[in-house]
Each structure stands twice: as structure tokens, then as C-alpha cells.
Amino acid sequence: MDLAVVWFFLVGFFFIGYFVLDGFDFGVGMALPFLGRDDTDRRLVINTIGPIWDLNETWVIVAGATMFAAFPEWYATLFSGFYLVFLAILLALILRGVSFEYRHQRPELAWKKRFDRMIVIGSAVPAFLWGLVFANVVRGLPLDAGFNFTGSVVDLFTPYALLGGVTTLLLFFTHGVIFISLKTDGPIRARARALASRAGLLTIVVAAAFLVWTTVSFGTVVSGILSAFAAVTLIAAYLANLRGAERWSFALMASTIAVAVLSLFASLFPDVLPATNDAAHSLTVSNASSSAYTLTIMSWVAVVFVPLILLYQGFTYWVFRKRLSRASITGEHEEAGSAESTGGGSGFGAAGGPASSLT
């Protein structure tokens, strides 16, 4: 198989990893005001992603770097055309990361609530904008002969792109709430399951509308089959949550996001960015890719490092696999005070060791 084709789907693989993993991080952040009735609840919600959120976020760096190395023309057109949108995503991610680190630095509730609001904003903005970006990529953009975007930022906010943004926002929200029910115990676990049921219904309706629009207007036979499979797994995730099968519900929700993103890449192929004004200006897998020599070197690097990344990610999730409860957070608070008094501590109180933060 042509290496350019292989790397097109490898770029898709890294974006799938990012949306599946950081997707539930966004959902956890957005769920904070819905599930956190007091500060202990909110700490409990945040600690479900305490040891893993920054590791999940690294997938977007790998995806962007891979796109830059394998498809420099695609990277240049995309980042120049979406620079304001990507800047908003970057600022939101910084806002979220800073809030995780600073909310515990002072005991006043008003201080913590300010950072809680920033966590919600820092989670909702990228969850919406990533959907808007990928909807525009599938729909295509006006490009000139040099593959430069000739529209304005206003042109990116079409009804189809806005629906794409709302779809990813709801998918990530439901994904995150299901993750909270999987990682917690006690009353908050029950509240998370109930919230996932309510959010799941709305998510099914909106996601179905977006997938049908995508398949009818831009899809292929393969992408249509993948979209149908994503719809089935989304409904199955909803039913599994109703039955209290949290592991199945989370796995099916992750499958839904993975297959939905794969269907978008299948819709694109063999283009990587269609031109809406002139098909001759479209960026394709062939005219956007690096040289065969570069792709060969990248392939050998990927053969060595991708398995290592997956093993490390799996090991991290295994170490921090246990459920959290309010009691474990209270015990963590005492350890946090001790750590801070000696100059230690972290962004999640006493987070760090598996016994203190995720047990």
C-alpha cells in the first residue's frame, strides 16, 4: 500500500486516540456544575481525571506533529485557515490546565468557584470547536491554486459546521459523565448514571442528524457503513448505562467516537481537504504528502514508538484503575495539607500516588 495512504489513516488514528481520551476529560470538566453539589463532590469529579488528563492531551500534539511531518501542505492550509479557531482551543486548554493547578492553592470557596467556572469553559470550548473544525474539513473550504484558504473566519460557522460542534460537545459530555459513573462510588455515581441517561437521549438525536447529513452530502459507501455502526454503538452505550453496565457503556461510547471520527476520514479519502470552489485546488493524499523517503523514516520510527506509547498509556490506566468516593477525597485532603506544609503538593491536592488520588 502507498505509504501516503498509510500515514493518512495513521493521522486519523492519532486524532481518534485524542478524541476518545481527551473527550471524556472535556466531559468531566463540563459536568462539574451538574454533579458537584459541594467542594468535596467537585474535588471528587476532578480527581477522576487527575492522574491522566495531561497524558491524554499529549495525543493532540502527536497528531499535529504527525500531520506536519507527513502532510506539510495539509498542515499549512489547515493551521493558516483555522488560526483563530486553533488559538481559541489553545487558550481554552491553557485555561483548563491552569485551573486544575490553582484551584486548591487557597481555601476560600469563592476562589475555587472561579477556577471551576474556567474548567467548564476550558472544557466546553475545545469540545465544540473540534467538531466545528472537522465538519469544515469534511465539507471543504474555498482554496486557491496555492492551496491557501480564501475565505474568512465567518465562513467557518455554517449550519453544518455548527451542528458538528454541538455533536462533539454532546458526545464528549456524555462520554465524560459515563466515565465519572465508572470511576466513582456512592451518591455521585448514581447521579452520574442518571445524568448520562438524560444527556444520552439528546446526544443520540443530535449525532444521528449530523451523521445522516454527513453521509448524504459528503459520504461514501464505506463512511456510510461506519456511520451506521457508530449509531448502533451509541444506542448500545445508552442502553448499557440504563442497565448499570458502566464498563460496557464506557467502552461502547469510546467505540462510537472512534468509529465516528474514522467515518469522517473515510468520507475525506482520497482528499485531505476538498476545495469547494474548484476541485482542481483540492488537497489530496498524493499532492499534500511528504517525500517517500520522509514517510519511510517516519514509518520505522512509528513501528518502534507507537507500541511503547500504547503500553505506557495502558499501564497508567491500570495503576489508577480503582474507584473514588467522598471518603477517599477527605483522606486525600489531610495528606494534601501535610504535603503543602512541607512545600510539596500538586494540582489535585495530594494527587500523585495511586493510593491517595484514585483509591
Side-chain angles (χ1 to χ4, degrees):
M1 182 181 288
D2 188 346
L3 274 182
V5 176
V6 172
W7 274 100
F8 172 73
F9 286 103
L10 273 176
V11 171
F13 169 76
F14 288 122
F15 273 110
I16 286 172
Y18 174 63
F19 290 134
V20 168
L21 296 175
D22 216 21
F24 70 74
D25 288 354
F26 294 146
V28 169
M30 289 186 281
L32 207 53
F34 297 97
L35 296 176
R37 293 182 176 176
D38 57 24
D39 186 57
T40 302
D41 274 353
R42 289 188 285 274
R43 290 185 61 200
L44 176 56
V45 169
I46 293 171
N47 270 288
T48 60
I49 57 171
I52 54 175
W53 72 272
D54 47 358
L55 180 61
N56 293 342
E57 212 163 76
T58 57
W59 280 74
V60 74
I61 299 172
V62 176
T66 303
M67 180 186 285
F68 172 76
F71 300 98
E73 287 284 0
W74 188 17
Y75 180 93
T77 302
L78 205 60
F79 276 73
S80 60
F82 290 91
Y83 67 96
L84 286 178
V85 175
F86 285 139
L87 178 62
I89 291 174
L90 178 62
L91 292 176
L93 293 177
I94 292 172
L95 192 69
R96 187 178 65 140
V98 168
S99 301
F100 283 151
E101 296 296 330
Y102 275 83
R103 82 174 298 279
H104 77 291
Q105 297 292 343
R106 289 173 58 174
E108 296 90 349
L109 282 179
W111 170 273
K112 295 182 178 181
K113 285 182 178 178
R114 288 192 199 100
F115 285 107
D116 288 344
R117 283 194 288 272
M118 289 194 284
I119 290 172
V120 175
I121 295 170
S123 301
V125 169
F128 172 79
L129 290 179
W130 276 120
L132 182 133
V133 168
F134 270 84
N136 273 296
V137 170
V138 171
R139 185 181 69 92
L141 298 173
L143 303 175
D144 63 20
F147 307 122
N148 299 305
F149 175 49
T150 58
S152 68
V153 68
V154 177
D155 298 328
L156 304 178
F157 290 81
T158 62
Y160 173 71
L162 291 172
L163 181 60
V166 175
T167 300
T168 51
L169 182 82
L170 288 173
L171 278 173
F172 294 159
F173 180 81
T174 304
H175 193 32
V177 175
I178 291 172
F179 179 75
I180 293 170
S181 70
L182 178 67
K183 291 296 297 180
T184 57
D185 213 346
I188 199 166
R189 178 184 177 188
R191 294 205 301 274
R193 280 180 53 194
L195 179 60
S197 298
R198 295 195 297 273
L201 274 179
L202 182 60
T203 304
I204 289 172
V205 173
V206 174
F210 179 70
L211 290 176
V212 168
W213 192 339
T214 302
T215 302
V216 170
S217 301
F218 313 106
T220 62
V221 174
V222 174
S223 69
I225 293 171
L226 291 171
S227 296
F229 186 76
V232 170
T233 55
L234 178 58
I235 294 171
Y238 172 76
L239 295 176
N241 179 69
L242 288 182
R243 294 173 61 87
E246 292 151 348
R247 289 184 180 178
W248 276 107
S249 182
F250 180 75
L252 288 164
M253 199 66 201
S255 301
T256 299
I257 295 172
V259 177
V261 177
L262 182 60
S263 74
L264 296 181
F265 274 79
S267 299
L268 273 176
F269 186 80
D271 291 335
V272 295
L273 185 58
T276 54
N277 52 323
D278 187 344
H281 297 171
S282 295
L283 276 166
T284 67
V285 169
S286 299
N287 66 20
S289 68
S290 295
S291 66
Y293 176 77
T294 301
L295 294 178
T296 301
I297 296 295
M298 289 177 62
S299 299
W300 283 111
V301 172
V303 166
V304 174
F305 287 102
V306 170
L308 292 177
I309 292 171
L310 295 177
L311 283 173
Y312 180 69
Q313 188 104 39
F315 173 74
T316 304
Y317 276 80
W318 175 257
V319 169
F320 296 103
R321 68 189 180 279
K322 293 183 180 178
R323 290 183 183 271
L324 284 172
S325 67
R326 287 178 64 93
S328 61
I329 293 297
T330 304
E332 183 184 87
H333 178 72
E334 293 168 358
E335 293 178 23
S338 173
E340 286 170 4
S341 68
T342 58
S346 74
F348 296 87
S356 62
S357 65
L358 286 179
T359 57

